[in-house]
Amino acid sequence: MYGLADVGEGARARYESLPLETNDRADEEPYAVPKRVDHEQRRREIVQAAWRLIARGGFEAMTMREIAAEAGYANGALKHYFSSKDDLLAAAFQQSFFRVNERAAHSIGERTGLAAIRALCLEMLPLDEERQVEARVAIAFWDRVVASKALMKIHADSMAIWRKWIEDELETARRSGELVGDLSHEQIIDALFFVTTGMRVLPILEKGFGPPESYVAMLDAMLARVVAPLGEG
């Protein structure tokens, strides 16, 4: 089963081995005694600050200075962790991806086949406030992907992991006789991505799109379709 450990290898190593720092907090006294800081914790705090700003007003309009202020750091401190807004946005997207997979692995437990696929897809959908913010982060990331080969690779790698996860569960469903439809695995995965991506975007663009329960119903209708032979339903 795929969990956080499976998707996270090497993803956060980009910002390791930073030097000791003494005065990045905006409220610290100058010439503070040097101390060892938790760089990973500071990265998380900065990413969480970006998340909050994205949730409130989007990513494009905010500045690195605003992100630093939201995180409680001096403006110059961010350069030690993120060289640009795109660098920070990549980290925010990766954290969102990790969180989806971590929740999905926990939710799936011992389930396999279509039940496991459904559990993964549910974690992608904006069914609560946490997942709504994750959708906003993903949309901000997608907006920048088209202009950046580095961001495009991060996106492609993430989608490849999800494709492999779903492919494995489809194979299990096929072997067990649970999946008897005529659609290929690739067609099913493409359809699932169309559905889940659309339901992450449309509720943000259209406030009256529908309650979260309707997203679950649409996903279930789609999954019901893939187990039926063509001509049925």
Side-chain angles (χ1 to χ4, degrees), residues 62-219:
M62 69 186 185
T63 66
M64 294 295 275
R65 183 180 298 275
E66 290 171 331
I67 298 167
E70 179 71 22
Y73 293 105
N75 184 43
L78 265 62
K79 70 178 183 295
H80 298 298
Y81 302 98
F82 303 100
S83 61
S84 66
K85 282 178 63 178
D86 278 359
D87 209 18
L88 175 53
L89 183 58
F93 174 80
Q94 287 173 319
Q95 180 170 308
S96 172
F97 181 72
F98 299 148
R99 287 167 62 156
V100 169
N101 285 290
E102 188 173 44
R103 291 195 308 265
H106 178 76
S107 176
I108 289 169
E110 298 302 317
R111 287 181 285 183
T112 61
L114 295 182
I117 294 171
R118 182 179 186 272
L120 171 61
C121 291
L122 286 176
E123 295 305 331
M124 301 178 192
L125 301 184
L127 301 178
D128 53 30
E129 184 175 356
E130 178 182 10
R131 284 174 281 188
Q132 289 163 12
V133 175
E134 289 173 353
R136 288 183 176 275
V137 170
I139 291 169
F141 180 80
W142 294 333
D143 184 54
R144 295 293 302 158
V145 159
V146 294
S148 169
K149 290 183 179 179
L151 297 185
M152 181 66 78
K153 185 179 187 309
I154 290 171
H155 181 263
D157 289 347
S158 301
M159 295 304 102
I161 289 170
W162 276 349
R163 281 185 175 276
K164 181 63 167 61
W165 191 342
I166 296 172
E167 172 72 25
D168 288 350
E169 296 299 350
L170 286 173
E171 186 60 38
T172 297
R174 186 81 69 182
R175 289 197 306 267
S176 69
E178 182 183 19
L179 184 63
V180 295
D182 303 281
L183 296 176
S184 69
H185 290 181
E186 183 177 3
Q187 288 174 314
I188 294 171
I189 294 169
D190 286 346
L192 285 169
F193 281 165
F194 277 125
V195 169
T196 54
T197 301
M199 286 192 285
R200 295 179 95 182
V201 174
L202 287 176
I204 294 175
L205 299 179
E206 300 181 26
K207 297 302 182 183
F209 181 72
E213 304 81 52
S214 67
Y215 314 158
V216 178
M218 283 185 274
L219 174 63

